[in-house]
Amino acid sequence: MPVGSYELNVSMSCKSFDRYRSVRTGPGYDIFHSTYYRLPVERSCSVVTTVHDYTYERYSSGLRRVVHSWQKNKAIKGSDKIICVSESTRRDLLEFSGLRADDNVVVIHNGVSDAYYPLEDVSLGPQVLFVGARAGYKNFTNAVLALEGLSGVKLLCVGGGQFDADELDMLERIVPGRYSHAGYLTNEQLNLEYNRSICLVYPSLYEGFGIPVLEAMRAGCPVVAVNSSSIPEVAGDAAILLECGEVEEMRSAIEFFCVTDNRSDFVGRGRIQAEKFSWDETFNKTLAVYEELLGQKIWN
């Protein structure tokens, strides 16, 4: 694409069906930026790779982990510049990749969409929100158990697929009649649910970044999360961060947000924290990486 008097061609690859294959770009590209660990077949340009997390390395095993880690490390070692979405991911990269130095690694945080914001005339409901996948390290079972003793408080899950048979059995035993699954929601619909909820319960034990934390804060919904991986980096002092995501501490945090003054305090903190993250800033810092590789200013 023309930028001033200089023409910059950027080939972007993303996760797809053939995500394990190298990419044939053809001639004329200045930068190849992969967001899912792919490399160009013919090395004729600078290569940038974005590393999101180390979930596979920490929580998977067997062939699945071996293949993923092989591809990721191949991309890392074949890149001129590596972007990590958090300091936590950067530390994981140094731990798992075998790199001895991180001179070519830069941290560029994700942003948060301006589609999330406080709504006027929306009544707060007796519900807590759980967003995203629910298996394993996402700590969903403890979130359900935390609601067991909070009569009248409902659980709304968004994303992560429909409840399976084991989840339905657990929900019926622990919070019968107090749970629902919203399926896929648009940004507008999810923003409404953030505005309706007492809090977002996001008890994941590991995240490369954790965008729902910022979405909730931007929408004026307090957050309960776990003080691990990237979460404290993203949440700052604007969320209740649990020591290890156990049931009792999660239940106490939800009860804390059932008090109006407590909730209002963290709503204000959350809005300030969310303002520190934007996609415009992500764009500007990514552009700076391109300009460093090219040795030339390409955007005014």
Side-chain angles (χ1 to χ4, degrees), residues 6-297:
Y6 186 85
E7 184 173 294
L8 171 68
N9 293 312
V10 179
S11 172
M12 302 294 289
S13 74
C14 61
K15 185 176 180 181
S16 63
F17 177 75
D18 59 349
R19 65 188 183 185
Y20 297 110
R21 300 176 184 173
S22 295
V23 180
R24 294 190 179 277
T25 60
Y29 288 102
D30 301 294
I31 294 174
F32 178 91
H33 186 169
S34 174
T35 59
Y36 202 80
Y37 315 127
R38 299 174 75 187
L39 293 171
V41 174
E42 297 179 1
R43 183 62 177 269
S44 59
C45 59
S46 296
V47 175
V48 179
T49 291
T50 294
V51 179
H52 301 281
D53 58 53
Y54 277 80
T55 304
Y56 277 84
E57 287 76 8
R58 292 198 178 278
Y59 294 99
S60 293
S61 59
L63 183 60
R64 185 180 184 186
R65 171 178 172 169
V66 170
V67 171
H68 177 88
S69 296
W70 172 83
Q71 182 185 19
K72 181 185 291 183
N73 286 328
K74 180 182 177 183
I76 288 169
K77 292 173 182 177
S79 297
D80 299 292
K81 208 73 175 180
I82 302 157
I83 295 173
C84 292
V85 299
S86 64
E87 287 286 350
S88 174
T89 295
R90 184 192 67 81
R91 291 192 297 269
D92 286 347
L93 182 146
L94 295 180
E95 177 182 347
F96 288 105
S97 70
L99 292 183
R100 296 184 178 181
D102 60 345
D103 294 340
N104 65 333
V105 181
V106 60
V107 173
I108 301 179
H109 290 123
N110 289 324
V112 58
S113 172
D114 58 9
Y116 299 97
Y117 56 91
L119 297 171
E120 296 181 2
D121 302 322
V122 173
S123 298
L124 189 66
Q127 76 175 22
V128 299
L129 201 59
F130 190 103
V131 175
R134 301 181 298 274
Y137 68 93
K138 295 293 186 175
N139 209 13
F140 178 63
T141 298
N142 278 6
V144 175
L145 288 168
L147 291 173
E148 185 174 18
L150 300 178
S151 61
V153 179
K154 299 178 181 180
L155 173 67
L156 176 65
C157 293
V158 175
Q162 294 295 324
F163 298 131
D164 62 28
D166 290 338
E167 288 174 328
L168 286 170
D169 178 68
M170 174 184 65
L171 288 162
E172 276 299 312
R173 286 186 292 102
I174 298 171
V175 287
R178 292 196 283 133
Y179 65 89
S180 58
H181 192 285
Y184 170 80
L185 297 183
T186 64
N187 286 342
E188 181 180 10
Q189 292 168 331
L190 180 54
N191 184 54
L192 178 59
E193 297 304 337
Y194 280 131
N195 274 264
R196 285 174 172 167
S197 299
I198 296 168
C199 61
L200 169 70
V201 176
Y202 197 73
S204 176
L205 302 177
Y206 178 84
E207 293 293 325
F209 188 78
I211 287 178
V213 170
L214 292 179
E215 291 176 347
M217 289 180 174
R218 205 174 190 284
C221 178
V223 175
V224 177
V226 179
N227 189 21
S228 67
S229 61
S230 65
I231 297 301
E233 182 180 341
V234 174
D237 66 352
I240 290 183
L241 297 182
L242 311 176
E243 184 176 348
C244 51
E246 294 296 338
V247 173
E248 288 302 324
E249 56 177 350
M250 207 180 307
R251 181 180 296 137
S252 295
I254 296 170
E255 288 177 321
F256 178 86
F257 283 136
C258 288
V259 177
T260 300
D261 288 345
N262 295 340
R263 189 177 185 279
S264 296
D265 177 30
F266 275 81
V267 167
R269 294 191 201 185
R271 290 174 184 165
I272 293 171
Q273 180 68 11
E275 287 297 321
K276 299 175 183 178
F277 299 84
S278 74
W279 287 118
D280 284 344
E281 185 72 5
T282 303
F283 169 84
N284 290 331
K285 289 183 176 180
T286 303
L287 183 64
V289 169
Y290 296 166
E291 292 176 336
E292 179 185 347
L293 289 172
L294 295 170
Q296 184 168 345
K297 191 79 172 175

